[in-house]
Amino acid sequence: MAESTHFGSRDVPLEDKQGMVDDVFHSVARRYDLMNDLMSLGLHRAWKDALVTAVNPPKSGPFALLDIAGGTGDIAFRVIDAGGAATRATVCDINTDMLDIGRARAAARGRGEVVSFIEANAEALPFADKRFDAATIAFGIRNVPRIEQALAEAYRVLKIGGRFLCLEFSAVDVPGLDRLYDFYSFNVIPRLGRVVAGDAESYRYLVESIRRFPNPQSFAAMLRTTGFARVSFQPLSGGIVALHSGWRL
Ligand code: SAM
C-alpha cells in the first residue's frame, strides 16, 4: 500500500501532499503578509523577533543564515537588520510565487545584495555540507511531507557549531485559552481568508495542519534523532507557538 500522510485533517498519499501544499501557497501568496498580521493580530512579529533574538547574528564578522521555507523573506530581513554588515541570508522555498514577493520586498528595502532567494525543496537542499552558521524554518516544517528528511538536510548544511531554530504552531497549554483559540482558528480564520484572500479552504488547511503537527516533546525527540545536540524548546503565547532549538556539535 502507498505511504500516506495528512493534509490538514485528511489522510492523503504521501506523494500528493506537496502538490496540495503548493496550491495553497500559490493561492495565498499575494495576500500572505497581510493575512499573517490579521490572523495573528500582529503576534507573528513578536514570535519572529524571538526567533531572531535566538539566532543572535554577530555585529561584526561574516554570518551566513539559511531560512528554509522562507517564503516572502520575513525572517531573512529581520536577521539582516539584527546582524552586522557581513551578515548574509539565503531564503529557500519551493514556491515561486512566495519567492517573487520576497524578491520584490528585498528590492524595495535595498536588501537585494544581501538576501538571495532560491527555489528549493527543504527535503533536498541544493547547498554544500557545512555551509551555514544558522538554519531557520518559521511556520514551514508542518507543510513539508517528509519532516525527518528536511531535518536531516538542515543538519547537513549547518557548520559544526551551527544552530537550527524552528518556529511552529504548537499545542495551547493554558486552560480557557485553548477553547478560545479553537473557536478563533476554526471560525474566524477561514472567514478572514475568504474575505481578504478570497480563499477560505487554504486557511482551513492551515488551521487543520496545526492540529496534526507533533507536540513539542515529540518534535524535540525528532531533532535529537536527527543528531541535533542540546535540543530545547520554548512555548510562546501560552503554547500557540513553540520555538525549538538544536545545535550541530
Ligand atoms: N517562513 C515564512 C514566514 O514565516 O512568513 C513563510 C511560512 S509559510 C506559512 C510556509 C512556506 O513553506 C510557504 O512559503 C511554502 O511554499 C513553503 N514550503 C512548503 N513546503 C515546502 C518544501 N517542501 N520545501 C520548501 N518550502 C516549502
Side-chain angles (χ1 to χ4, degrees):
M1 211 178 88
E3 244 186 297
S4 73
T5 185
H6 44 81
F7 175 76
S9 56
R10 278 191 286 152
D11 288 327
V12 298
L14 184 61
E15 294 305 319
D16 293 355
K17 173 163 170 165
Q18 189 69 62
M20 298 166 99
V21 167
D22 294 348
D23 288 345
V24 166
F25 289 101
H26 284 306
S27 165
V28 305
R30 216 171 37 87
R31 295 288 189 173
Y32 178 77
D33 293 304
L34 172 65
M35 274 300 287
N36 265 355
D37 272 329
L38 294 175
M39 279 187 311
S40 74
L41 309 172
L43 276 172
H44 77 109
R45 293 167 182 262
W47 299 329
K48 287 173 176 168
D49 286 345
L51 169 69
V52 173
T53 301
V55 172
N56 193 21
K59 288 288 179 199
S60 65
F63 185 81
L65 168 81
L66 175 65
D67 186 37
I68 303 163
T72 61
D74 254 14
I75 300 298
F77 299 139
R78 284 175 159 76
V79 170
I80 291 290
D81 289 347
T87 304
R88 298 288 177 273
T90 303
V91 174
C92 81
D93 197 286
I94 204 163
N95 195 304
T96 49
D97 292 340
M98 295 290 281
L99 290 168
D100 283 347
I101 289 173
R103 286 189 190 99
R105 292 176 82 201
R109 290 163 183 242
R111 296 302 201 185
E113 299 289 305
V114 289
V115 182
S116 49
F117 291 85
I118 294 179
E119 190 178 324
N121 189 336
E123 296 174 0
L125 295 173
F127 306 110
D129 296 356
K130 300 183 186 156
R131 169 152 170 216
F132 295 97
D133 296 289
T136 52
I137 181 162
F139 307 114
I141 195 79
R142 76 180 191 284
N143 298 295
V144 175
R146 297 168 189 83
I147 292 178
E148 288 90 346
Q149 179 66 28
L151 293 177
E153 280 292 87
Y155 185 86
R156 180 183 66 75
V157 301
L158 271 177
K159 294 178 185 170
I160 307 295
R163 190 174 190 186
F164 173 73
L165 286 151
C166 175
L167 197 58
E168 190 50 90
F169 290 105
S170 191
V172 172
D173 55 8
V174 176
L177 179 63
D178 46 0
R179 267 177 302 162
L180 185 67
Y181 178 63
D182 274 355
F183 177 82
Y184 184 75
S185 300
F186 288 104
N187 295 285
V188 181
I189 290 181
R191 284 199 176 92
L192 261 180
R194 192 178 59 229
V195 173
V196 179
D199 181 352
E201 271 317 298
S202 291
Y203 283 92
R204 204 178 311 284
Y205 156 72
L206 292 176
V207 167
E208 288 171 356
S209 63
I210 293 169
R211 309 307 154 117
R212 300 295 295 259
F213 191 68
N215 67 35
Q217 291 80 3
S218 307
F219 188 58
M222 289 170 81
L223 293 189
R224 285 188 203 98
T225 304
T226 305
F228 287 107
R230 289 164 54 195
V231 171
S232 61
F233 65 86
Q234 180 192 352
L236 304 173
S237 303
I240 294 178
V241 163
L243 176 61
H244 280 77
S245 163
W247 296 79
R248 179 170 187 181
L249 298 180

